[in-house]
mmCIF file with all atom_site columns, all heavy atoms in Angstrom:
data_model
loop_
_atom_site.group_PDB
_atom_site.id
_atom_site.type_symbol
_atom_site.label_atom_id
_atom_site.label_alt_id
_atom_site.label_comp_id
_atom_site.label_asym_id
_atom_site.label_entity_id
_atom_site.label_seq_id
_atom_site.pdbx_PDB_ins_code
_atom_site.Cartn_x
_atom_site.Cartn_y
_atom_site.Cartn_z
_atom_site.occupancy
_atom_site.B_iso_or_equiv
_atom_site.pdbx_formal_charge
_atom_site.auth_seq_id
_atom_site.auth_comp_id
_atom_site.auth_asym_id
_atom_site.auth_atom_id
_atom_site.pdbx_PDB_model_num
ATOM 1   N N   . VAL A 1 87  ? -15.792 22.991 -1.773  1.00 0.00 ? 111 VAL A N   1
ATOM 2   C CA  . VAL A 1 87  ? -17.206 22.948 -2.219  1.00 0.00 ? 111 VAL A CA  1
ATOM 3   C C   . VAL A 1 87  ? -18.018 24.016 -1.527  1.00 0.00 ? 111 VAL A C   1
ATOM 4   O O   . VAL A 1 87  ? -18.933 24.590 -2.074  1.00 0.00 ? 111 VAL A O   1
ATOM 5   C CB  . VAL A 1 87  ? -17.794 21.586 -1.914  1.00 0.00 ? 111 VAL A CB  1
ATOM 6   C CG1 . VAL A 1 87  ? -19.245 21.500 -2.400  1.00 0.00 ? 111 VAL A CG1 1
ATOM 7   C CG2 . VAL A 1 87  ? -17.003 20.442 -2.574  1.00 0.00 ? 111 VAL A CG2 1
ATOM 8   N N   . GLY A 1 88  ? -17.659 24.268 -0.272  1.00 0.00 ? 112 GLY A N   1
ATOM 9   C CA  . GLY A 1 88  ? -18.441 25.266 0.518   1.00 0.00 ? 112 GLY A CA  1
ATOM 10  C C   . GLY A 1 88  ? -18.317 26.699 0.002   1.00 0.00 ? 112 GLY A C   1
ATOM 11  O O   . GLY A 1 88  ? -17.279 27.119 -0.258  1.00 0.00 ? 112 GLY A O   1
ATOM 12  N N   . SER A 1 89  ? -19.405 27.305 -0.027  1.00 0.00 ? 113 SER A N   1
ATOM 13  C CA  . SER A 1 89  ? -19.438 28.789 -0.352  1.00 0.00 ? 113 SER A CA  1
ATOM 14  C C   . SER A 1 89  ? -20.742 29.362 0.154   1.00 0.00 ? 113 SER A C   1
ATOM 15  O O   . SER A 1 89  ? -21.647 28.621 0.605   1.00 0.00 ? 113 SER A O   1
ATOM 16  C CB  . SER A 1 89  ? -19.312 29.012 -1.893  1.00 0.00 ? 113 SER A CB  1
ATOM 17  O OG  . SER A 1 89  ? -20.443 28.427 -2.533  1.00 0.00 ? 113 SER A OG  1
ATOM 18  N N   . MET A 1 90  ? -20.819 30.696 0.090   1.00 0.00 ? 114 MET A N   1
ATOM 19  C CA  . MET A 1 90  ? -22.069 31.334 0.430   1.00 0.00 ? 114 MET A CA  1
ATOM 20  C C   . MET A 1 90  ? -23.043 31.254 -0.686  1.00 0.00 ? 114 MET A C   1
ATOM 21  O O   . MET A 1 90  ? -22.779 31.718 -1.766  1.00 0.00 ? 114 MET A O   1
ATOM 22  C CB  . MET A 1 90  ? -21.757 32.797 0.812   1.00 0.00 ? 114 MET A CB  1
ATOM 23  C CG  . MET A 1 90  ? -22.971 33.721 0.847   1.00 0.00 ? 114 MET A CG  1
ATOM 24  S SD  . MET A 1 90  ? -23.939 33.425 2.343   1.00 0.00 ? 114 MET A SD  1
ATOM 25  C CE  . MET A 1 90  ? -23.121 34.572 3.435   1.00 0.00 ? 114 MET A CE  1
ATOM 26  N N   . PRO A 1 91  ? -24.143 30.576 -0.456  1.00 0.00 ? 115 PRO A N   1
ATOM 27  C CA  . PRO A 1 91  ? -25.172 30.472 -1.577  1.00 0.00 ? 115 PRO A CA  1
ATOM 28  C C   . PRO A 1 91  ? -25.900 31.770 -1.795  1.00 0.00 ? 115 PRO A C   1
ATOM 29  O O   . PRO A 1 91  ? -26.069 32.519 -0.902  1.00 0.00 ? 115 PRO A O   1
ATOM 30  C CB  . PRO A 1 91  ? -26.086 29.354 -1.078  1.00 0.00 ? 115 PRO A CB  1
ATOM 31  C CG  . PRO A 1 91  ? -25.982 29.355 0.379   1.00 0.00 ? 115 PRO A CG  1
ATOM 32  C CD  . PRO A 1 91  ? -24.662 29.878 0.758   1.00 0.00 ? 115 PRO A CD  1
ATOM 33  N N   . ARG A 1 92  ? -26.373 31.906 -2.984  1.00 0.00 ? 116 ARG A N   1
ATOM 34  C CA  . ARG A 1 92  ? -27.171 33.104 -3.321  1.00 0.00 ? 116 ARG A CA  1
ATOM 35  C C   . ARG A 1 92  ? -28.494 33.003 -2.704  1.00 0.00 ? 116 ARG A C   1
ATOM 36  O O   . ARG A 1 92  ? -29.254 32.066 -2.891  1.00 0.00 ? 116 ARG A O   1
ATOM 37  C CB  . ARG A 1 92  ? -27.292 33.293 -4.846  1.00 0.00 ? 116 ARG A CB  1
ATOM 38  C CG  . ARG A 1 92  ? -27.749 34.613 -5.272  1.00 0.00 ? 116 ARG A CG  1
ATOM 39  C CD  . ARG A 1 92  ? -27.527 34.835 -6.725  1.00 0.00 ? 116 ARG A CD  1
ATOM 40  N NE  . ARG A 1 92  ? -27.957 36.118 -7.151  1.00 0.00 ? 116 ARG A NE  1
ATOM 41  C CZ  . ARG A 1 92  ? -27.767 36.587 -8.353  1.00 0.00 ? 116 ARG A CZ  1
ATOM 42  N NH1 . ARG A 1 92  ? -27.068 35.897 -9.288  1.00 0.00 ? 116 ARG A NH1 1
ATOM 43  N NH2 . ARG A 1 92  ? -28.181 37.780 -8.745  1.00 0.00 ? 116 ARG A NH2 1
ATOM 44  N N   . ARG A 1 93  ? -28.851 33.996 -1.949  1.00 0.00 ? 117 ARG A N   1
ATOM 45  C CA  . ARG A 1 93  ? -30.237 33.947 -1.290  1.00 0.00 ? 117 ARG A CA  1
ATOM 46  C C   . ARG A 1 93  ? -31.144 34.883 -2.100  1.00 0.00 ? 117 ARG A C   1
ATOM 47  O O   . ARG A 1 93  ? -30.780 35.776 -2.836  1.00 0.00 ? 117 ARG A O   1
ATOM 48  C CB  . ARG A 1 93  ? -30.142 34.536 0.134   1.00 0.00 ? 117 ARG A CB  1
ATOM 49  C CG  . ARG A 1 93  ? -29.145 33.755 0.990   1.00 0.00 ? 117 ARG A CG  1
ATOM 50  C CD  . ARG A 1 93  ? -29.763 33.173 2.188   1.00 0.00 ? 117 ARG A CD  1
ATOM 51  N NE  . ARG A 1 93  ? -29.014 31.932 2.648   1.00 0.00 ? 117 ARG A NE  1
ATOM 52  C CZ  . ARG A 1 93  ? -27.940 32.010 3.346   1.00 0.00 ? 117 ARG A CZ  1
ATOM 53  N NH1 . ARG A 1 93  ? -27.450 33.182 3.710   1.00 0.00 ? 117 ARG A NH1 1
ATOM 54  N NH2 . ARG A 1 93  ? -27.308 30.931 3.770   1.00 0.00 ? 117 ARG A NH2 1
ATOM 55  N N   . GLU A 1 94  ? -32.392 34.592 -1.920  1.00 0.00 ? 118 GLU A N   1
ATOM 56  C CA  . GLU A 1 94  ? -33.501 35.406 -2.512  1.00 0.00 ? 118 GLU A CA  1
ATOM 57  C C   . GLU A 1 94  ? -33.176 36.889 -2.328  1.00 0.00 ? 118 GLU A C   1
ATOM 58  O O   . GLU A 1 94  ? -32.859 37.389 -1.269  1.00 0.00 ? 118 GLU A O   1
ATOM 59  C CB  . GLU A 1 94  ? -34.813 35.058 -1.765  1.00 0.00 ? 118 GLU A CB  1
ATOM 60  C CG  . GLU A 1 94  ? -36.024 35.262 -2.558  1.00 0.00 ? 118 GLU A CG  1
ATOM 61  C CD  . GLU A 1 94  ? -36.502 34.204 -3.544  1.00 0.00 ? 118 GLU A CD  1
ATOM 62  O OE1 . GLU A 1 94  ? -36.209 33.038 -3.422  1.00 0.00 ? 118 GLU A OE1 1
ATOM 63  O OE2 . GLU A 1 94  ? -37.070 34.705 -4.427  1.00 0.00 ? 118 GLU A OE2 1
ATOM 64  N N   . GLY A 1 95  ? -33.277 37.643 -3.484  1.00 0.00 ? 119 GLY A N   1
ATOM 65  C CA  . GLY A 1 95  ? -33.115 39.076 -3.372  1.00 0.00 ? 119 GLY A CA  1
ATOM 66  C C   . GLY A 1 95  ? -31.706 39.620 -3.225  1.00 0.00 ? 119 GLY A C   1
ATOM 67  O O   . GLY A 1 95  ? -31.456 40.797 -2.975  1.00 0.00 ? 119 GLY A O   1
ATOM 68  N N   . MET A 1 96  ? -30.738 38.658 -3.303  1.00 0.00 ? 120 MET A N   1
ATOM 69  C CA  . MET A 1 96  ? -29.374 38.963 -3.140  1.00 0.00 ? 120 MET A CA  1
ATOM 70  C C   . MET A 1 96  ? -28.762 39.467 -4.467  1.00 0.00 ? 120 MET A C   1
ATOM 71  O O   . MET A 1 96  ? -28.891 38.777 -5.497  1.00 0.00 ? 120 MET A O   1
ATOM 72  C CB  . MET A 1 96  ? -28.574 37.741 -2.625  1.00 0.00 ? 120 MET A CB  1
ATOM 73  C CG  . MET A 1 96  ? -27.266 38.081 -2.035  1.00 0.00 ? 120 MET A CG  1
ATOM 74  S SD  . MET A 1 96  ? -26.582 36.412 -1.592  1.00 0.00 ? 120 MET A SD  1
ATOM 75  C CE  . MET A 1 96  ? -25.506 36.905 -0.220  1.00 0.00 ? 120 MET A CE  1
ATOM 76  N N   . GLU A 1 97  ? -28.041 40.625 -4.487  1.00 0.00 ? 121 GLU A N   1
ATOM 77  C CA  . GLU A 1 97  ? -27.358 40.972 -5.708  1.00 0.00 ? 121 GLU A CA  1
ATOM 78  C C   . GLU A 1 97  ? -26.089 40.142 -5.904  1.00 0.00 ? 121 GLU A C   1
ATOM 79  O O   . GLU A 1 97  ? -25.485 39.689 -4.931  1.00 0.00 ? 121 GLU A O   1
ATOM 80  C CB  . GLU A 1 97  ? -26.899 42.467 -5.599  1.00 0.00 ? 121 GLU A CB  1
ATOM 81  C CG  . GLU A 1 97  ? -28.080 43.492 -5.521  1.00 0.00 ? 121 GLU A CG  1
ATOM 82  C CD  . GLU A 1 97  ? -28.765 43.548 -6.907  1.00 0.00 ? 121 GLU A CD  1
ATOM 83  O OE1 . GLU A 1 97  ? -28.036 43.483 -7.925  1.00 0.00 ? 121 GLU A OE1 1
ATOM 84  O OE2 . GLU A 1 97  ? -30.022 43.584 -6.977  1.00 0.00 ? 121 GLU A OE2 1
ATOM 85  N N   . ARG A 1 98  ? -25.760 39.915 -7.149  1.00 0.00 ? 122 ARG A N   1
ATOM 86  C CA  . ARG A 1 98  ? -24.544 39.193 -7.477  1.00 0.00 ? 122 ARG A CA  1
ATOM 87  C C   . ARG A 1 98  ? -23.320 39.770 -6.822  1.00 0.00 ? 122 ARG A C   1
ATOM 88  O O   . ARG A 1 98  ? -22.386 39.057 -6.320  1.00 0.00 ? 122 ARG A O   1
ATOM 89  C CB  . ARG A 1 98  ? -24.370 39.084 -8.986  1.00 0.00 ? 122 ARG A CB  1
ATOM 90  C CG  . ARG A 1 98  ? -23.331 38.029 -9.399  1.00 0.00 ? 122 ARG A CG  1
ATOM 91  C CD  . ARG A 1 98  ? -23.348 37.720 -10.893 1.00 0.00 ? 122 ARG A CD  1
ATOM 92  N NE  . ARG A 1 98  ? -22.213 36.882 -11.187 1.00 0.00 ? 122 ARG A NE  1
ATOM 93  C CZ  . ARG A 1 98  ? -22.246 35.534 -11.112 1.00 0.00 ? 122 ARG A CZ  1
ATOM 94  N NH1 . ARG A 1 98  ? -23.376 34.966 -10.714 1.00 0.00 ? 122 ARG A NH1 1
ATOM 95  N NH2 . ARG A 1 98  ? -21.254 34.850 -11.458 1.00 0.00 ? 122 ARG A NH2 1
ATOM 96  N N   . LYS A 1 99  ? -23.325 41.083 -6.649  1.00 0.00 ? 123 LYS A N   1
ATOM 97  C CA  . LYS A 1 99  ? -22.193 41.783 -6.045  1.00 0.00 ? 123 LYS A CA  1
ATOM 98  C C   . LYS A 1 99  ? -22.062 41.429 -4.546  1.00 0.00 ? 123 LYS A C   1
ATOM 99  O O   . LYS A 1 99  ? -20.946 41.203 -4.030  1.00 0.00 ? 123 LYS A O   1
ATOM 100 C CB  . LYS A 1 99  ? -22.461 43.319 -6.116  1.00 0.00 ? 123 LYS A CB  1
ATOM 101 C CG  . LYS A 1 99  ? -21.177 44.163 -6.192  1.00 0.00 ? 123 LYS A CG  1
ATOM 102 C CD  . LYS A 1 99  ? -21.458 45.568 -6.640  1.00 0.00 ? 123 LYS A CD  1
ATOM 103 C CE  . LYS A 1 99  ? -20.159 46.324 -6.453  1.00 0.00 ? 123 LYS A CE  1
ATOM 104 N NZ  . LYS A 1 99  ? -19.982 47.490 -7.237  1.00 0.00 ? 123 LYS A NZ  1
ATOM 105 N N   . ASP A 1 100 ? -23.217 41.271 -3.868  1.00 0.00 ? 124 ASP A N   1
ATOM 106 C CA  . ASP A 1 100 ? -23.202 40.889 -2.461  1.00 0.00 ? 124 ASP A CA  1
ATOM 107 C C   . ASP A 1 100 ? -22.660 39.463 -2.301  1.00 0.00 ? 124 ASP A C   1
ATOM 108 O O   . ASP A 1 100 ? -21.957 39.097 -1.383  1.00 0.00 ? 124 ASP A O   1
ATOM 109 C CB  . ASP A 1 100 ? -24.657 40.946 -1.860  1.00 0.00 ? 124 ASP A CB  1
ATOM 110 C CG  . ASP A 1 100 ? -25.226 42.340 -1.918  1.00 0.00 ? 124 ASP A CG  1
ATOM 111 O OD1 . ASP A 1 100 ? -24.442 43.298 -1.877  1.00 0.00 ? 124 ASP A OD1 1
ATOM 112 O OD2 . ASP A 1 100 ? -26.460 42.424 -2.014  1.00 0.00 ? 124 ASP A OD2 1
ATOM 113 N N   . LEU A 1 101 ? -23.058 38.592 -3.310  1.00 0.00 ? 125 LEU A N   1
ATOM 114 C CA  . LEU A 1 101 ? -22.664 37.200 -3.292  1.00 0.00 ? 125 LEU A CA  1
ATOM 115 C C   . LEU A 1 101 ? -21.093 37.181 -3.459  1.00 0.00 ? 125 LEU A C   1
ATOM 116 O O   . LEU A 1 101 ? -20.416 36.396 -2.730  1.00 0.00 ? 125 LEU A O   1
ATOM 117 C CB  . LEU A 1 101 ? -23.307 36.500 -4.424  1.00 0.00 ? 125 LEU A CB  1
ATOM 118 C CG  . LEU A 1 101 ? -23.046 34.993 -4.586  1.00 0.00 ? 125 LEU A CG  1
ATOM 119 C CD1 . LEU A 1 101 ? -23.705 34.253 -3.428  1.00 0.00 ? 125 LEU A CD1 1
ATOM 120 C CD2 . LEU A 1 101 ? -23.530 34.410 -5.897  1.00 0.00 ? 125 LEU A CD2 1
ATOM 121 N N   . LEU A 1 102 ? -20.577 37.971 -4.381  1.00 0.00 ? 126 LEU A N   1
ATOM 122 C CA  . LEU A 1 102 ? -19.153 38.025 -4.650  1.00 0.00 ? 126 LEU A CA  1
ATOM 123 C C   . LEU A 1 102 ? -18.455 38.526 -3.378  1.00 0.00 ? 126 LEU A C   1
ATOM 124 O O   . LEU A 1 102 ? -17.403 37.869 -2.961  1.00 0.00 ? 126 LEU A O   1
ATOM 125 C CB  . LEU A 1 102 ? -18.848 39.007 -5.739  1.00 0.00 ? 126 LEU A CB  1
ATOM 126 C CG  . LEU A 1 102 ? -18.840 38.418 -7.159  1.00 0.00 ? 126 LEU A CG  1
ATOM 127 C CD1 . LEU A 1 102 ? -18.812 39.612 -8.227  1.00 0.00 ? 126 LEU A CD1 1
ATOM 128 C CD2 . LEU A 1 102 ? -17.665 37.523 -7.458  1.00 0.00 ? 126 LEU A CD2 1
ATOM 129 N N   . LYS A 1 103 ? -18.984 39.484 -2.722  1.00 0.00 ? 127 LYS A N   1
ATOM 130 C CA  . LYS A 1 103 ? -18.332 40.076 -1.545  1.00 0.00 ? 127 LYS A CA  1
ATOM 131 C C   . LYS A 1 103 ? -18.216 38.974 -0.403  1.00 0.00 ? 127 LYS A C   1
ATOM 132 O O   . LYS A 1 103 ? -17.120 38.762 0.151   1.00 0.00 ? 127 LYS A O   1
ATOM 133 C CB  . LYS A 1 103 ? -19.103 41.287 -1.022  1.00 0.00 ? 127 LYS A CB  1
ATOM 134 C CG  . LYS A 1 103 ? -18.425 42.022 0.055   1.00 0.00 ? 127 LYS A CG  1
ATOM 135 C CD  . LYS A 1 103 ? -19.167 43.288 0.437   1.00 0.00 ? 127 LYS A CD  1
ATOM 136 C CE  . LYS A 1 103 ? -18.332 44.092 1.425   1.00 0.00 ? 127 LYS A CE  1
ATOM 137 N NZ  . LYS A 1 103 ? -19.045 45.391 1.727   1.00 0.00 ? 127 LYS A NZ  1
ATOM 138 N N   . ALA A 1 104 ? -19.337 38.251 -0.143  1.00 0.00 ? 128 ALA A N   1
ATOM 139 C CA  . ALA A 1 104 ? -19.315 37.248 0.890   1.00 0.00 ? 128 ALA A CA  1
ATOM 140 C C   . ALA A 1 104 ? -18.302 36.119 0.551   1.00 0.00 ? 128 ALA A C   1
ATOM 141 O O   . ALA A 1 104 ? -17.618 35.591 1.448   1.00 0.00 ? 128 ALA A O   1
ATOM 142 C CB  . ALA A 1 104 ? -20.746 36.674 1.044   1.00 0.00 ? 128 ALA A CB  1
ATOM 143 N N   . ASN A 1 105 ? -18.253 35.786 -0.713  1.00 0.00 ? 129 ASN A N   1
ATOM 144 C CA  . ASN A 1 105 ? -17.312 34.688 -1.105  1.00 0.00 ? 129 ASN A CA  1
ATOM 145 C C   . ASN A 1 105 ? -15.872 35.093 -1.190  1.00 0.00 ? 129 ASN A C   1
ATOM 146 O O   . ASN A 1 105 ? -15.061 34.271 -0.848  1.00 0.00 ? 129 ASN A O   1
ATOM 147 C CB  . ASN A 1 105 ? -17.866 34.041 -2.426  1.00 0.00 ? 129 ASN A CB  1
ATOM 148 C CG  . ASN A 1 105 ? -19.026 33.127 -2.138  1.00 0.00 ? 129 ASN A CG  1
ATOM 149 O OD1 . ASN A 1 105 ? -18.869 32.145 -1.418  1.00 0.00 ? 129 ASN A OD1 1
ATOM 150 N ND2 . ASN A 1 105 ? -20.188 33.490 -2.694  1.00 0.00 ? 129 ASN A ND2 1
ATOM 151 N N   . VAL A 1 106 ? -15.599 36.370 -1.495  1.00 0.00 ? 130 VAL A N   1
ATOM 152 C CA  . VAL A 1 106 ? -14.219 36.827 -1.529  1.00 0.00 ? 130 VAL A CA  1
ATOM 153 C C   . VAL A 1 106 ? -13.656 36.625 -0.064  1.00 0.00 ? 130 VAL A C   1
ATOM 154 O O   . VAL A 1 106 ? -12.507 36.121 0.117   1.00 0.00 ? 130 VAL A O   1
ATOM 155 C CB  . VAL A 1 106 ? -14.126 38.271 -1.907  1.00 0.00 ? 130 VAL A CB  1
ATOM 156 C CG1 . VAL A 1 106 ? -12.784 38.868 -1.509  1.00 0.00 ? 130 VAL A CG1 1
ATOM 157 C CG2 . VAL A 1 106 ? -14.343 38.418 -3.431  1.00 0.00 ? 130 VAL A CG2 1
ATOM 158 N N   . LYS A 1 107 ? -14.451 36.918 0.900   1.00 0.00 ? 131 LYS A N   1
ATOM 159 C CA  . LYS A 1 107 ? -14.000 36.763 2.297   1.00 0.00 ? 131 LYS A CA  1
ATOM 160 C C   . LYS A 1 107 ? -13.673 35.296 2.608   1.00 0.00 ? 131 LYS A C   1
ATOM 161 O O   . LYS A 1 107 ? -12.617 35.019 3.153   1.00 0.00 ? 131 LYS A O   1
ATOM 162 C CB  . LYS A 1 107 ? -15.167 37.230 3.208   1.00 0.00 ? 131 LYS A CB  1
ATOM 163 C CG  . LYS A 1 107 ? -14.707 37.764 4.536   1.00 0.00 ? 131 LYS A CG  1
ATOM 164 C CD  . LYS A 1 107 ? -15.776 38.370 5.322   1.00 0.00 ? 131 LYS A CD  1
ATOM 165 C CE  . LYS A 1 107 ? -15.398 38.245 6.804   1.00 0.00 ? 131 LYS A CE  1
ATOM 166 N NZ  . LYS A 1 107 ? -16.428 38.521 7.700   1.00 0.00 ? 131 LYS A NZ  1
ATOM 167 N N   . ILE A 1 108 ? -14.537 34.395 2.183   1.00 0.00 ? 132 ILE A N   1
ATOM 168 C CA  . ILE A 1 108 ? -14.307 32.925 2.424   1.00 0.00 ? 132 ILE A CA  1
ATOM 169 C C   . ILE A 1 108 ? -13.024 32.487 1.757   1.00 0.00 ? 132 ILE A C   1
ATOM 170 O O   . ILE A 1 108 ? -12.182 31.820 2.315   1.00 0.00 ? 132 ILE A O   1
ATOM 171 C CB  . ILE A 1 108 ? -15.531 32.123 1.972   1.00 0.00 ? 132 ILE A CB  1
ATOM 172 C CG1 . ILE A 1 108 ? -16.786 32.472 2.817   1.00 0.00 ? 132 ILE A CG1 1
ATOM 173 C CG2 . ILE A 1 108 ? -15.230 30.626 2.066   1.00 0.00 ? 132 ILE A CG2 1
ATOM 174 C CD1 . ILE A 1 108 ? -18.060 31.904 2.229   1.00 0.00 ? 132 ILE A CD1 1
ATOM 175 N N   . PHE A 1 109 ? -12.949 32.822 0.421   1.00 0.00 ? 133 PHE A N   1
ATOM 176 C CA  . PHE A 1 109 ? -11.850 32.198 -0.341  1.00 0.00 ? 133 PHE A CA  1
ATOM 177 C C   . PHE A 1 109 ? -10.544 32.899 -0.195  1.00 0.00 ? 133 PHE A C   1
ATOM 178 O O   . PHE A 1 109 ? -9.449  32.349 -0.398  1.00 0.00 ? 133 PHE A O   1
ATOM 179 C CB  . PHE A 1 109 ? -12.310 32.106 -1.855  1.00 0.00 ? 133 PHE A CB  1
ATOM 180 C CG  . PHE A 1 109 ? -13.288 30.983 -2.009  1.00 0.00 ? 133 PHE A CG  1
ATOM 181 C CD1 . PHE A 1 109 ? -14.636 31.217 -1.861  1.00 0.00 ? 133 PHE A CD1 1
ATOM 182 C CD2 . PHE A 1 109 ? -12.870 29.726 -2.339  1.00 0.00 ? 133 PHE A CD2 1
ATOM 183 C CE1 . PHE A 1 109 ? -15.544 30.155 -1.971  1.00 0.00 ? 133 PHE A CE1 1
ATOM 184 C CE2 . PHE A 1 109 ? -13.744 28.659 -2.397  1.00 0.00 ? 133 PHE A CE2 1
ATOM 185 C CZ  . PHE A 1 109 ? -15.116 28.863 -2.200  1.00 0.00 ? 133 PHE A CZ  1
ATOM 186 N N   . LYS A 1 110 ? -10.558 34.156 0.278   1.00 0.00 ? 134 LYS A N   1
ATOM 187 C CA  . LYS A 1 110 ? -9.318  34.854 0.711   1.00 0.00 ? 134 LYS A CA  1
ATOM 188 C C   . LYS A 1 110 ? -8.729  34.097 1.959   1.00 0.00 ? 134 LYS A C   1
ATOM 189 O O   . LYS A 1 110 ? -7.554  33.795 1.999   1.00 0.00 ? 134 LYS A O   1
ATOM 190 C CB  . LYS A 1 110 ? -9.570  36.322 1.013   1.00 0.00 ? 134 LYS A CB  1
ATOM 191 C CG  . LYS A 1 110 ? -8.323  37.064 1.444   1.00 0.00 ? 134 LYS A CG  1
ATOM 192 C CD  . LYS A 1 110 ? -8.585  38.517 1.831   1.00 0.00 ? 134 LYS A CD  1
ATOM 193 C CE  . LYS A 1 110 ? -7.302  39.150 2.161   1.00 0.00 ? 134 LYS A CE  1
ATOM 194 N NZ  . LYS A 1 110 ? -7.485  40.597 2.590   1.00 0.00 ? 134 LYS A NZ  1
ATOM 195 N N   . SER A 1 111 ? -9.578  33.804 2.894   1.00 0.00 ? 135 SER A N   1
ATOM 196 C CA  . SER A 1 111 ? -9.264  33.156 4.046   1.00 0.00 ? 135 SER A CA  1
ATOM 197 C C   . SER A 1 111 ? -8.729  31.732 3.859   1.00 0.00 ? 135 SER A C   1
ATOM 198 O O   . SER A 1 111 ? -7.724  31.314 4.286   1.00 0.00 ? 135 SER A O   1
ATOM 199 C CB  . SER A 1 111 ? -10.402 33.129 5.115   1.00 0.00 ? 135 SER A CB  1
ATOM 200 O OG  . SER A 1 111 ? -10.137 32.355 6.188   1.00 0.00 ? 135 SER A OG  1
ATOM 201 N N   . GLN A 1 112 ? -9.444  31.007 2.976   1.00 0.00 ? 136 GLN A N   1
ATOM 202 C CA  . GLN A 1 112 ? -9.057  29.594 2.671   1.00 0.00 ? 136 GLN A CA  1
ATOM 203 C C   . GLN A 1 112 ? -7.805  29.561 1.817   1.00 0.00 ? 136 GLN A C   1
ATOM 204 O O   . GLN A 1 112 ? -6.906  28.750 1.964   1.00 0.00 ? 136 GLN A O   1
ATOM 205 C CB  . GLN A 1 112 ? -10.205 28.871 1.930   1.00 0.00 ? 136 GLN A CB  1
ATOM 206 C CG  . GLN A 1 112 ? -11.334 28.658 2.899   1.00 0.00 ? 136 GLN A CG  1
ATOM 207 C CD  . GLN A 1 112 ? -12.485 27.783 2.404   1.00 0.00 ? 136 GLN A CD  1
ATOM 208 O OE1 . GLN A 1 112 ? -12.427 27.386 1.175   1.00 0.00 ? 136 GLN A OE1 1
ATOM 209 N NE2 . GLN A 1 112 ? -13.368 27.430 3.271   1.00 0.00 ? 136 GLN A NE2 1
#
Side-chain angles (χ1 to χ4, degrees):
V111 181
S113 64
M114 164 74 86
R116 193 165 181 172
R117 303 241 156 78
E118 202 81 32
M120 195 183 208
E121 289 294 318
R122 195 169 171 84
K123 212 168 170 158
D124 301 331
L125 183 71
L126 271 168
K127 189 174 187 176
N129 281 297
V130 163
K131 207 173 154 192
I132 296 168
F133 286 88
K134 180 182 184 180
S135 174
Q136 293 189 351

